[in-house]
Amino acid sequence: MSQAEKKQIRVIIADDHALLREGIRKILSLEPDITVVGEAEDGDQVIELARNTDVDIVLMDINMPNVDGIKATQVIKEEKPGIKIIALTIHNQEEYLFELIRGGISGYVLKDVRPHELVKTIRCVAEGEGFIPPSLTPKVFHELNRLSKKREEESRYHFALTERELEVLQQICLGLSNREIAEKLYISEKTVRNHLTNIFQKLGVGDRTQAVLFAIKHNLVQT
């Protein structure tokens, strides 16, 4: 199937600089499978356009008047989650990356990107893929790992499990019996049973299987 025969990718360009919008529009006009269906110079305009236009992708500048791109992204994704958003940003705005990811962006493109790379990103996102510049990938993984550890710590705190109870819960998830847990942790089987009773009560479960499923779901143990 040729590019011309493919389903058109409908794009809105949101940026407060008319010259940049014009440049992007000209680049995209050369592509037979991409159509610019609207332009916006501030956050309010792009939100309104997204509400009333049949659009697939919004190219979203971060710093815009009235409503910034981060807030506009959040509003659009809440109201029309099917619309995909590609953030347009300059190098010194990388600190916004994680807030944009939480807001639901599908791609993140630096404004000095080459035209063919912008087009490729739009097509990838239209196909359901995500895109982040390779130079930022290590930062993303670092932040995701940090957030994962933070959520794990918050979960443990929320359910008020002691360190020993967490150790017992971990062994349960590994399939160990009460006797095996007692031997591994150098405690008595009676103590293991007491810990299990406390664990079940704190997690609101009735047996070992439910405790294991709960622990995995809430990141209480290492899997």
Side-chain angles (χ1 to χ4, degrees), residues 73-214:
T73 294
Q74 294 169 345
V75 173
I76 291 171
K77 292 301 290 186
E78 287 174 3
E79 295 185 2
K80 300 183 75 172
I83 295 177
K84 296 179 174 65
I85 309 238
I86 299 174
L88 292 173
T89 172
I90 57 179
H91 284 290
N92 62 8
Q93 293 175 315
E94 293 171 4
E95 67 270 19
Y96 296 122
L97 173 60
F98 307 111
E99 192 168 357
L100 287 163
I101 290 174
R102 288 192 291 270
I105 65 165
S106 298
Y108 185 95
V109 175
L110 302 177
K111 287 188 177 181
D112 62 357
V113 67
R114 294 180 181 277
H116 74 276
E117 292 175 342
L118 174 62
V119 171
K120 180 181 178 181
T121 299
I122 290 172
R123 288 183 178 137
C124 286
V125 168
E127 291 294 323
E129 301 176 20
F131 178 81
I132 294 173
S135 62
L136 297 181
T137 302
K139 295 181 181 180
V140 173
F141 279 111
H142 176 76
E143 179 68 5
L144 291 176
N145 288 334
R146 186 189 70 80
L147 291 175
S148 177
K149 291 178 181 178
K150 182 180 179 181
R151 284 195 298 269
E152 182 178 336
E153 292 171 356
E154 288 175 346
S155 294
R156 294 181 178 186
Y157 174 79
H158 177 72
F159 297 110
L161 296 177
T162 66
E163 286 300 317
R164 179 59 86 182
E165 288 166 354
L166 285 168
E167 288 178 339
V168 172
L169 184 58
Q170 179 73 54
Q171 304 313 312
I172 294 174
C173 292
L174 293 175
L176 274 63
S177 66
N178 286 2
R179 175 177 292 181
E180 290 170 330
I181 294 173
E183 292 175 352
K184 186 166 185 178
L185 300 182
Y186 302 103
I187 56 179
S188 68
E189 285 188 60
K190 181 177 183 300
T191 300
V192 173
R193 289 194 295 271
N194 289 339
H195 285 314
L196 288 177
T197 298
N198 291 334
I199 291 169
F200 293 167
Q201 288 178 347
K202 290 179 178 180
L203 301 186
V205 300
D207 57 37
R208 298 167 80 98
T209 301
Q210 291 178 13
V212 169
L213 294 175
F214 189 98

